Amino acid sequence: MSSFDVVTIGRVSMDLFSQQHGADFTEIRGFDAMVGGSPSNIAIGSARLGMRTAVVTAVGPDDIGRFVVAN
């Protein structure tokens, strides 16, 4: 059985970030997509610091669920 330094439980999602940093919302022409949601953000940040992390969540059988699993 594996052991983890951090285990988070909860919602995982897809966050959208403007490609035009600092632009008014009406001036945004594109977005970058990244995995998000509070539990995921904590796990990702902890992993970047060298910790062994896991996220306990569920994803749907849709495009967002497939995006989250792939990324």
Side-chain angles (χ1 to χ4, degrees), residues 7-69:
V7 177
T8 62
I9 301 171
R11 180 183 66 85
V12 64
S13 64
M14 180 176 68
D15 290 345
L16 299 175
F17 297 94
S18 169
Q19 293 173 342
Q20 290 73 43
H21 301 278
D24 290 335
F25 189 77
T26 57
E27 297 174 359
I28 296 172
R29 298 294 172 243
F31 293 90
D32 290 323
M34 297 183 184
V35 174
S38 297
S40 301
N41 292 341
I42 297 297
I44 291 167
S46 298
R48 288 178 178 168
L49 293 172
M51 299 175 147
R52 295 170 307 216
T53 66
V55 178
V56 178
T57 191
V59 296
D62 57 10
D63 289 337
I64 294 176
R66 286 186 284 278
F67 173 83
V68 167
V69 170

